[in-house]
Amino acid sequence: MSTPDRLIESTRELLWERGYVGTSPKAILERAGAGQGSMYHHFRGKPDLALAAIRRTAEEMRTTAEDVLGSPGSPYERVEAYLRRERDTLRGCPIGRLTMDADVIASAELRAPVDEFLTWLRGRLASVVEEGREQGDFAPGLDGEEIASTILATVQGGYVLARASGSPAAFDTAVRGLLALLAPAGDRPARGGQG
């Protein structure tokens, strides 16, 4: 791996773990195994390197999401696969983490790739939901944009619940609840004592 790639990868990991303020140039260089002048040789400074790292994270997450949402299967199955895909729930979302970072949000340049990714993902999910609504996979009254936002809110909120409880079970419970709400009426799981 080239020195710029090592610097970007180290920054990506540190941003996820520590946030922008906690990601010092010294920590980046140590993790990358790079010399003291390396960062400034390849990047204009920490903000430039952080921007490259955020863009790469967003690009990787977009590819991962598209691999699931563009796969074969019914729209409901693709949404389910997206919600149930393997995640490190106790670590949280690398993009979601950045939305809680005051320094990232205060910088239009650093915030842009975060917002662009989330906007793309909402749109992509909305298109799958609309496709499912047209095919009868989802209730006819569902709005694709609203459901896409609900899916994102469930994922991000699931991370928060899992991290707070120290258990991935909280994330899984949120996902199961949303999937039960989205399932066609005949496919919804029966609840004991209710009905």
Side-chain angles (χ1 to χ4, degrees):
M1 192 182 290
S2 70
T3 299
D5 280 334
R6 287 198 328 269
L7 290 166
I8 290 170
E9 290 303 312
S10 296
T11 304
R12 288 178 63 198
E13 287 294 314
L14 288 164
L15 286 171
W16 194 2
E17 292 168 17
R18 304 178 185 182
Y20 185 80
V21 170
T23 300
S24 68
K26 181 180 179 185
I28 293 168
L29 292 171
E30 283 177 4
R31 184 160 298 191
Q36 198 164 18
S38 296
M39 185 167 76
Y40 298 100
H41 176 74
H42 297 287
F43 300 94
R44 291 187 312 262
K46 178 180 164 182
D48 188 41
L49 178 53
L51 180 60
I54 293 167
R55 283 183 176 150
R56 185 172 291 176
T57 296
E59 189 178 296
E60 183 179 280
M61 290 184 69
R62 182 177 177 150
T63 299
T64 300
E66 183 56 38
D67 286 349
V68 175
L69 295 171
S71 67
S74 73
Y76 179 87
E77 290 168 341
R78 287 182 282 152
V79 167
E80 180 179 28
Y82 173 76
L83 287 167
R84 293 187 188 271
R85 76 172 180 77
E86 190 172 325
R87 292 176 166 86
D88 188 350
T89 52
L90 295 180
R91 219 171 152 202
C93 172
I95 289 290
R97 167 80 166 89
L98 295 171
T99 67
M100 303 305 290
D101 193 310
D103 293 290
V104 171
I105 296 305
S107 165
E109 190 175 30
L110 294 177
R111 187 180 64 244
V114 173
D115 183 44
E116 288 164 9
F117 168 72
L118 292 172
T119 298
W120 171 83
L121 184 54
R122 242 185 350 261
R124 186 65 179 97
L125 286 164
S127 70
V128 173
V129 171
E130 288 297 330
E131 179 187 341
R133 192 178 51 74
E134 290 167 9
Q135 294 177 8
D137 237 14
F138 297 117
L142 293 184
D143 178 274
E145 294 284 330
E146 291 174 359
I147 298 304
S149 290
T150 302
I151 292 168
L152 284 178
T154 299
V155 169
Q156 293 304 317
Y159 282 125
V160 170
L161 295 172
R163 287 174 58 102
S165 69
S167 170
F171 184 96
D172 297 338
T173 299
V175 165
R176 281 194 312 274
L178 178 58
L179 288 170
L181 291 172
L182 291 177
D187 295 340
R188 290 190 180 148
R191 299 283 180 204
Q194 297 178 358

